[in-house]
Amino acid sequence: KSPNPSIHYLDALLKEQRITLNQNQLEQLWRYHKLLRNNNKDHDLTRLIKFETIVTKHYVDCLMVPKLFKVPSSIIDIGTGAGFPGIPLKIVSPETNIILAEHRPRRVEFLEMVIKELGLKNISTYPHKVTSSSQIEKLDGVITRALETIPETLRRVENILNPGAKVIFMKGPNCSQEIGEAKMTSPIFKFEKDIHYSISKVDKRRLVVFSL
């Protein structure tokens, strides 16, 4: 039988995937988890129920990113939903400026609550869809997880990026076709990395990076 959800069990599950947080980061992630659970019904945040599944598929997946690739200093998380990967990234990279783009009002309300409750700085919400005509300050990076195809995202973000900016895609294992299509249809972006990794014994993931 699995142990009950606790900050210690959270720590143990993260360490199984070689993710070590300091005490402050661990406490922030635990508080975020409690906010996620307590507000899930009202704000439609995640369909995952089991503690281990939430830790693996949400927190481990997000926290693997900075281990695999250097996160740019200013980044927009498009379609962040309940704050994935933006909130976990902010917890472990407090110096990164992050914009959480989410157009669904109930989720924006939840994100604002998390930012306030956790006392996070240099992080804000963008409560609209990001489109090629969005008026957003130029950024050094985009990150997105399971939102849409790679070419669709590249088309939407080219006007909000500084030269040399990175577009980071958190993908499942079967995205080779999207990568090929993006190389053909988005010639202004350069294909940079395709990193295969695992978040558990069975869950395979890929981190795909294009740069401007």
Side-chain angles (χ1 to χ4, degrees), residues 5-47:
S6 69
I7 191 168
H8 304 294
Y9 189 30
L10 171 63
D11 192 30
L13 289 170
L14 293 175
K15 282 182 171 149
E16 274 179 23
Q17 300 304 321
R18 299 189 181 83
I19 292 167
T20 306
L21 304 186
N22 66 37
Q23 192 56 33
N24 180 48
Q25 292 168 339
L26 191 60
E27 282 167 12
Q28 282 191 317
L29 186 62
W30 178 242
R31 278 165 65 200
Y32 174 47
H33 174 73
K34 289 198 291 191
L35 288 169
L36 183 74
R37 290 311 306 244
N38 295 340
N39 294 280
N40 193 24
K41 274 205 174 63
D42 296 344
H43 294 75
D44 179 31
L45 302 170
T46 178
R47 287 191 285 279

Short mmCIF file of all heavy atoms in Angstrom, two decimals, residues 5-47:
data_model
loop_
_atom_site.label_atom_id
_atom_site.label_comp_id
_atom_site.label_asym_id
_atom_site.label_seq_id
_atom_site.Cartn_x
_atom_site.Cartn_y
_atom_site.Cartn_z
N PRO A 5 -0.38 10.81 1.07
CA PRO A 5 0.29 12.02 0.57
C PRO A 5 0.87 12.85 1.72
O PRO A 5 0.18 13.10 2.70
CB PRO A 5 -0.84 12.78 -0.13
CG PRO A 5 -1.83 11.72 -0.52
CD PRO A 5 -1.75 10.70 0.57
N SER A 6 2.12 13.21 1.59
CA SER A 6 2.76 14.08 2.59
C SER A 6 3.95 14.74 1.92
O SER A 6 4.40 14.30 0.85
CB SER A 6 3.24 13.26 3.79
OG SER A 6 4.33 12.45 3.39
N ILE A 7 4.48 15.75 2.56
CA ILE A 7 5.65 16.43 2.01
C ILE A 7 6.84 15.47 1.93
O ILE A 7 7.65 15.52 1.00
CB ILE A 7 5.97 17.71 2.82
CG1 ILE A 7 7.02 18.57 2.10
CG2 ILE A 7 6.41 17.38 4.25
CD1 ILE A 7 7.18 19.97 2.66
N HIS A 8 6.92 14.52 2.89
CA HIS A 8 8.05 13.57 2.90
C HIS A 8 7.92 12.57 1.75
O HIS A 8 8.91 12.21 1.11
CB HIS A 8 8.11 12.84 4.25
CG HIS A 8 8.20 13.80 5.40
ND1 HIS A 8 9.31 14.59 5.59
CD2 HIS A 8 7.31 14.12 6.37
CE1 HIS A 8 9.10 15.36 6.66
NE2 HIS A 8 7.90 15.11 7.14
N TYR A 9 6.69 12.14 1.50
CA TYR A 9 6.46 11.20 0.40
C TYR A 9 6.69 11.90 -0.94
O TYR A 9 7.26 11.32 -1.87
CB TYR A 9 5.04 10.62 0.50
CG TYR A 9 4.75 9.49 -0.46
CD1 TYR A 9 5.75 8.62 -0.89
CD2 TYR A 9 3.47 9.27 -0.95
CE1 TYR A 9 5.48 7.57 -1.77
CE2 TYR A 9 3.18 8.23 -1.82
CZ TYR A 9 4.20 7.39 -2.23
OH TYR A 9 3.93 6.36 -3.11
N LEU A 10 6.29 13.17 -1.03
CA LEU A 10 6.57 13.97 -2.23
C LEU A 10 8.08 14.01 -2.49
O LEU A 10 8.54 13.76 -3.61
CB LEU A 10 6.02 15.39 -2.05
CG LEU A 10 6.39 16.43 -3.11
CD1 LEU A 10 5.85 16.05 -4.49
CD2 LEU A 10 5.87 17.82 -2.73
N ASP A 11 8.84 14.30 -1.45
CA ASP A 11 10.29 14.37 -1.55
C ASP A 11 10.86 13.02 -2.03
O ASP A 11 11.72 12.98 -2.92
CB ASP A 11 10.87 14.74 -0.17
CG ASP A 11 12.34 15.11 -0.25
OD1 ASP A 11 12.78 15.64 -1.30
OD2 ASP A 11 13.06 14.90 0.75
N ALA A 12 10.36 11.93 -1.46
CA ALA A 12 10.85 10.59 -1.81
C ALA A 12 10.55 10.27 -3.29
O ALA A 12 11.41 9.73 -4.00
CB ALA A 12 10.21 9.55 -0.90
N LEU A 13 9.35 10.61 -3.74
CA LEU A 13 8.98 10.34 -5.14
C LEU A 13 9.85 11.15 -6.11
O LEU A 13 10.26 10.66 -7.16
CB LEU A 13 7.50 10.66 -5.38
CG LEU A 13 6.49 9.69 -4.74
CD1 LEU A 13 5.08 10.26 -4.83
CD2 LEU A 13 6.54 8.31 -5.38
N LEU A 14 10.14 12.41 -5.75
CA LEU A 14 11.00 13.24 -6.60
C LEU A 14 12.41 12.67 -6.63
O LEU A 14 13.04 12.58 -7.69
CB LEU A 14 11.02 14.69 -6.08
CG LEU A 14 9.72 15.49 -6.19
CD1 LEU A 14 9.88 16.85 -5.52
CD2 LEU A 14 9.26 15.67 -7.63
N LYS A 15 12.89 12.23 -5.48
CA LYS A 15 14.27 11.71 -5.40
C LYS A 15 14.43 10.42 -6.20
O LYS A 15 15.50 10.14 -6.71
CB LYS A 15 14.68 11.52 -3.95
CG LYS A 15 15.07 12.85 -3.30
CD LYS A 15 15.54 12.72 -1.87
CE LYS A 15 16.10 14.06 -1.39
NZ LYS A 15 15.92 14.26 0.04
N GLU A 16 13.34 9.65 -6.29
CA GLU A 16 13.39 8.43 -7.14
C GLU A 16 13.76 8.79 -8.58
O GLU A 16 14.36 8.00 -9.29
CB GLU A 16 12.01 7.74 -7.14
CG GLU A 16 11.81 6.78 -6.00
CD GLU A 16 10.43 6.14 -6.05
OE1 GLU A 16 9.80 6.09 -7.14
OE2 GLU A 16 9.96 5.70 -4.98
N GLN A 17 13.36 9.99 -9.01
CA GLN A 17 13.69 10.45 -10.37
C GLN A 17 14.88 11.42 -10.35
O GLN A 17 15.05 12.23 -11.25
CB GLN A 17 12.47 11.12 -11.01
CG GLN A 17 11.25 10.21 -11.15
CD GLN A 17 11.54 8.93 -11.91
OE1 GLN A 17 12.29 8.95 -12.89
NE2 GLN A 17 10.99 7.82 -11.45
N ARG A 18 15.67 11.34 -9.29
CA ARG A 18 16.90 12.16 -9.13
C ARG A 18 16.62 13.66 -9.13
O ARG A 18 17.40 14.45 -9.66
CB ARG A 18 17.93 11.81 -10.21
CG ARG A 18 18.37 10.36 -10.16
CD ARG A 18 19.55 10.13 -11.10
NE ARG A 18 19.98 8.74 -11.09
CZ ARG A 18 19.42 7.77 -11.82
NH1 ARG A 18 18.39 8.05 -12.60
NH2 ARG A 18 19.87 6.54 -11.77
N ILE A 19 15.48 14.04 -8.58
CA ILE A 19 15.16 15.46 -8.44
C ILE A 19 15.24 15.81 -6.95
O ILE A 19 14.48 15.26 -6.14
CB ILE A 19 13.76 15.79 -8.99
CG1 ILE A 19 13.76 15.61 -10.52
CG2 ILE A 19 13.34 17.22 -8.64
CD1 ILE A 19 12.40 15.61 -11.14
N THR A 20 16.17 16.69 -6.60
CA THR A 20 16.34 17.08 -5.20
C THR A 20 16.03 18.56 -5.05
O THR A 20 16.67 19.39 -5.70
CB THR A 20 17.79 16.80 -4.74
OG1 THR A 20 18.08 15.43 -5.02
CG2 THR A 20 17.93 17.04 -3.25
N LEU A 21 15.06 18.87 -4.22
CA LEU A 21 14.71 20.26 -3.94
C LEU A 21 15.22 20.65 -2.56
O LEU A 21 15.31 19.79 -1.67
CB LEU A 21 13.18 20.44 -3.97
CG LEU A 21 12.43 20.02 -5.24
CD1 LEU A 21 10.97 20.41 -5.13
CD2 LEU A 21 13.04 20.65 -6.49
N ASN A 22 15.53 21.92 -2.38
CA ASN A 22 15.87 22.37 -1.03
C ASN A 22 14.58 22.50 -0.21
O ASN A 22 13.47 22.40 -0.76
CB ASN A 22 16.72 23.66 -1.04
CG ASN A 22 15.95 24.86 -1.59
OD1 ASN A 22 14.75 25.01 -1.36
ND2 ASN A 22 16.65 25.71 -2.31
N GLN A 23 14.72 22.73 1.09
CA GLN A 23 13.54 22.71 1.97
C GLN A 23 12.50 23.75 1.56
O GLN A 23 11.30 23.46 1.54
CB GLN A 23 13.99 22.95 3.43
CG GLN A 23 12.91 22.66 4.47
CD GLN A 23 12.34 21.24 4.39
OE1 GLN A 23 13.05 20.29 4.04
NE2 GLN A 23 11.06 21.07 4.67
N ASN A 24 12.95 24.94 1.20
CA ASN A 24 12.02 26.00 0.81
C ASN A 24 11.26 25.63 -0.47
O ASN A 24 10.04 25.80 -0.57
CB ASN A 24 12.81 27.32 0.61
CG ASN A 24 11.89 28.46 0.21
OD1 ASN A 24 10.85 28.67 0.83
ND2 ASN A 24 12.25 29.17 -0.83
N GLN A 25 11.98 25.09 -1.46
CA GLN A 25 11.35 24.68 -2.72
C GLN A 25 10.34 23.55 -2.47
O GLN A 25 9.23 23.55 -3.03
CB GLN A 25 12.42 24.21 -3.71
CG GLN A 25 13.31 25.33 -4.20
CD GLN A 25 14.54 24.80 -4.94
OE1 GLN A 25 14.94 23.65 -4.79
NE2 GLN A 25 15.15 25.66 -5.76
N LEU A 26 10.73 22.62 -1.63
CA LEU A 26 9.86 21.48 -1.33
C LEU A 26 8.58 21.96 -0.65
O LEU A 26 7.47 21.53 -1.00
CB LEU A 26 10.61 20.49 -0.43
CG LEU A 26 9.96 19.12 -0.22
CD1 LEU A 26 9.81 18.39 -1.55
CD2 LEU A 26 10.80 18.29 0.75
N GLU A 27 8.73 22.89 0.29
CA GLU A 27 7.55 23.43 0.98
C GLU A 27 6.64 24.19 0.02
O GLU A 27 5.41 24.09 0.10
CB GLU A 27 7.98 24.34 2.15
CG GLU A 27 8.43 23.53 3.35
CD GLU A 27 9.16 24.36 4.41
OE1 GLU A 27 9.13 25.61 4.32
OE2 GLU A 27 9.75 23.75 5.31
N GLN A 28 7.24 24.94 -0.90
CA GLN A 28 6.42 25.67 -1.89
C GLN A 28 5.66 24.69 -2.80
O GLN A 28 4.48 24.89 -3.08
CB GLN A 28 7.31 26.58 -2.74
CG GLN A 28 7.71 27.86 -2.03
CD GLN A 28 8.35 28.85 -2.98
OE1 GLN A 28 9.19 28.50 -3.81
NE2 GLN A 28 7.97 30.11 -2.87
N LEU A 29 6.35 23.65 -3.24
CA LEU A 29 5.70 22.66 -4.12
C LEU A 29 4.56 21.95 -3.38
O LEU A 29 3.50 21.71 -3.95
CB LEU A 29 6.72 21.65 -4.65
CG LEU A 29 6.20 20.67 -5.70
CD1 LEU A 29 5.71 21.40 -6.95
CD2 LEU A 29 7.26 19.64 -6.08
N TRP A 30 4.78 21.65 -2.11
CA TRP A 30 3.75 20.98 -1.30
C TRP A 30 2.54 21.90 -1.12
O TRP A 30 1.39 21.47 -1.24
CB TRP A 30 4.34 20.56 0.04
CG TRP A 30 3.35 19.91 0.97
CD1 TRP A 30 2.97 20.36 2.19
CD2 TRP A 30 2.62 18.69 0.74
NE1 TRP A 30 2.03 19.52 2.75
CE2 TRP A 30 1.80 18.47 1.87
CE3 TRP A 30 2.57 17.78 -0.31
CZ2 TRP A 30 0.95 17.38 1.99
CZ3 TRP A 30 1.71 16.68 -0.19
CH2 TRP A 30 0.92 16.49 0.94
N ARG A 31 2.80 23.19 -0.88
CA ARG A 31 1.68 24.14 -0.75
C ARG A 31 0.93 24.27 -2.07
O ARG A 31 -0.31 24.34 -2.10
CB ARG A 31 2.20 25.51 -0.30
CG ARG A 31 2.40 25.57 1.21
CD ARG A 31 3.23 26.73 1.64
NE ARG A 31 2.60 28.01 1.38
CZ ARG A 31 3.27 29.16 1.32
NH1 ARG A 31 4.58 29.18 1.47
NH2 ARG A 31 2.62 30.28 1.11
N TYR A 32 1.66 24.28 -3.16
CA TYR A 32 1.03 24.31 -4.50
C TYR A 32 0.16 23.08 -4.69
O TYR A 32 -0.97 23.17 -5.16
CB TYR A 32 2.15 24.40 -5.55
CG TYR A 32 1.70 24.30 -6.99
CD1 TYR A 32 0.63 25.04 -7.48
CD2 TYR A 32 2.39 23.47 -7.89
CE1 TYR A 32 0.24 24.96 -8.81
CE2 TYR A 32 2.02 23.39 -9.22
CZ TYR A 32 0.94 24.13 -9.67
OH TYR A 32 0.57 24.04 -11.00
N HIS A 33 0.69 21.92 -4.30
CA HIS A 33 -0.07 20.68 -4.44
C HIS A 33 -1.39 20.76 -3.66
O HIS A 33 -2.44 20.37 -4.16
CB HIS A 33 0.76 19.48 -3.96
CG HIS A 33 -0.03 18.22 -3.96
ND1 HIS A 33 -0.37 17.56 -5.12
CD2 HIS A 33 -0.63 17.52 -2.94
CE1 HIS A 33 -1.11 16.49 -4.83
NE2 HIS A 33 -1.29 16.45 -3.52
N LYS A 34 -1.30 21.27 -2.44
CA LYS A 34 -2.53 21.36 -1.62
C LYS A 34 -3.55 22.32 -2.24
O LYS A 34 -4.75 22.05 -2.25
CB LYS A 34 -2.19 21.75 -0.19
CG LYS A 34 -1.48 20.60 0.55
CD LYS A 34 -1.50 20.76 2.06
CE LYS A 34 -0.62 21.90 2.50
NZ LYS A 34 -0.41 21.91 3.97
N LEU A 35 -3.05 23.43 -2.79
CA LEU A 35 -3.95 24.37 -3.48
C LEU A 35 -4.61 23.71 -4.70
O LEU A 35 -5.79 23.88 -4.96
CB LEU A 35 -3.18 25.62 -3.93
CG LEU A 35 -2.74 26.59 -2.83
CD1 LEU A 35 -1.77 27.64 -3.38
CD2 LEU A 35 -3.95 27.29 -2.20
N LEU A 36 -3.80 22.93 -5.42
CA LEU A 36 -4.31 22.22 -6.61
C LEU A 36 -5.43 21.25 -6.21
O LEU A 36 -6.49 21.22 -6.83
CB LEU A 36 -3.15 21.46 -7.27
CG LEU A 36 -3.44 20.72 -8.57
CD1 LEU A 36 -3.60 21.69 -9.73
CD2 LEU A 36 -2.32 19.73 -8.90
N ARG A 37 -5.19 20.49 -5.14
CA ARG A 37 -6.19 19.51 -4.71
C ARG A 37 -7.46 20.21 -4.19
O ARG A 37 -8.58 19.83 -4.53
CB ARG A 37 -5.62 18.61 -3.58
CG ARG A 37 -4.54 17.64 -4.00
CD ARG A 37 -4.87 16.82 -5.23
NE ARG A 37 -6.13 16.10 -5.18
CZ ARG A 37 -6.26 14.79 -5.21
NH1 ARG A 37 -5.19 14.02 -5.25
NH2 ARG A 37 -7.43 14.22 -5.22
N ASN A 38 -7.25 21.24 -3.37
CA ASN A 38 -8.41 21.88 -2.73
C ASN A 38 -9.27 22.68 -3.69
O ASN A 38 -10.44 22.92 -3.44
CB ASN A 38 -7.94 22.80 -1.59
CG ASN A 38 -7.27 22.01 -0.48
OD1 ASN A 38 -7.48 20.80 -0.38
ND2 ASN A 38 -6.47 22.66 0.35
N ASN A 39 -8.68 23.10 -4.81
CA ASN A 39 -9.42 23.94 -5.76
C ASN A 39 -9.76 23.22 -7.06
O ASN A 39 -10.30 23.82 -7.97
CB ASN A 39 -8.61 25.20 -6.08
CG ASN A 39 -8.47 26.10 -4.87
OD1 ASN A 39 -9.39 26.84 -4.54
ND2 ASN A 39 -7.34 26.02 -4.19
N ASN A 40 -9.45 21.93 -7.12
CA ASN A 40 -9.60 21.22 -8.39
C ASN A 40 -11.04 21.21 -8.89
O ASN A 40 -11.30 21.49 -10.05
CB ASN A 40 -9.06 19.79 -8.26
CG ASN A 40 -8.90 19.12 -9.62
OD1 ASN A 40 -8.76 19.79 -10.64
ND2 ASN A 40 -8.94 17.81 -9.65
N LYS A 41 -11.97 20.90 -8.00
CA LYS A 41 -13.37 20.79 -8.44
C LYS A 41 -13.90 22.12 -8.97
O LYS A 41 -14.53 22.17 -10.02
CB LYS A 41 -14.24 20.32 -7.27
CG LYS A 41 -14.29 18.81 -7.12
CD LYS A 41 -15.56 18.36 -6.42
CE LYS A 41 -15.67 16.84 -6.39
NZ LYS A 41 -14.56 16.23 -5.62
N ASP A 42 -13.62 23.19 -8.23
CA ASP A 42 -14.16 24.50 -8.60
C ASP A 42 -13.50 25.08 -9.85
O ASP A 42 -14.12 25.85 -10.58
CB ASP A 42 -13.94 25.52 -7.47
CG ASP A 42 -14.71 25.12 -6.22
OD1 ASP A 42 -15.61 24.27 -6.35
OD2 ASP A 42 -14.40 25.65 -5.15
N HIS A 43 -12.24 24.74 -10.07
CA HIS A 43 -11.49 25.42 -11.14
C HIS A 43 -11.10 24.50 -12.30
O HIS A 43 -10.43 24.93 -13.21
CB HIS A 43 -10.23 26.07 -10.56
CG HIS A 43 -10.52 27.19 -9.62
ND1 HIS A 43 -10.97 26.98 -8.32
CD2 HIS A 43 -10.45 28.53 -9.77
CE1 HIS A 43 -11.14 28.14 -7.73
NE2 HIS A 43 -10.84 29.10 -8.58
N ASP A 44 -11.51 23.22 -12.24
CA ASP A 44 -11.27 22.30 -13.35
C ASP A 44 -9.78 22.28 -13.72
O ASP A 44 -9.38 22.65 -14.82
CB ASP A 44 -12.13 22.74 -14.55
CG ASP A 44 -11.92 21.85 -15.77
OD1 ASP A 44 -11.63 20.66 -15.58
OD2 ASP A 44 -12.03 22.37 -16.90
N LEU A 45 -8.93 21.84 -12.78
CA LEU A 45 -7.48 22.00 -12.94
C LEU A 45 -6.78 20.77 -13.49
O LEU A 45 -5.88 20.87 -14.32
CB LEU A 45 -6.86 22.38 -11.58
CG LEU A 45 -7.43 23.65 -10.95
CD1 LEU A 45 -6.93 23.79 -9.52
CD2 LEU A 45 -7.07 24.88 -11.77
N THR A 46 -7.12 19.60 -12.99
CA THR A 46 -6.47 18.38 -13.49
C THR A 46 -7.43 17.21 -13.38
O THR A 46 -8.24 17.15 -12.46
CB THR A 46 -5.16 18.06 -12.70
OG1 THR A 46 -4.61 16.84 -13.21
CG2 THR A 46 -5.39 17.92 -11.20
N ARG A 47 -7.32 16.28 -14.32
CA ARG A 47 -8.16 15.08 -14.27
C ARG A 47 -7.47 13.96 -13.47
O ARG A 47 -8.06 12.94 -13.22
CB ARG A 47 -8.47 14.59 -15.69
CG ARG A 47 -9.46 15.48 -16.41
CD ARG A 47 -9.94 14.83 -17.70
NE ARG A 47 -8.93 14.90 -18.75
CZ ARG A 47 -8.72 15.96 -19.51
NH1 ARG A 47 -9.42 17.06 -19.33
NH2 ARG A 47 -7.80 15.94 -20.45
#
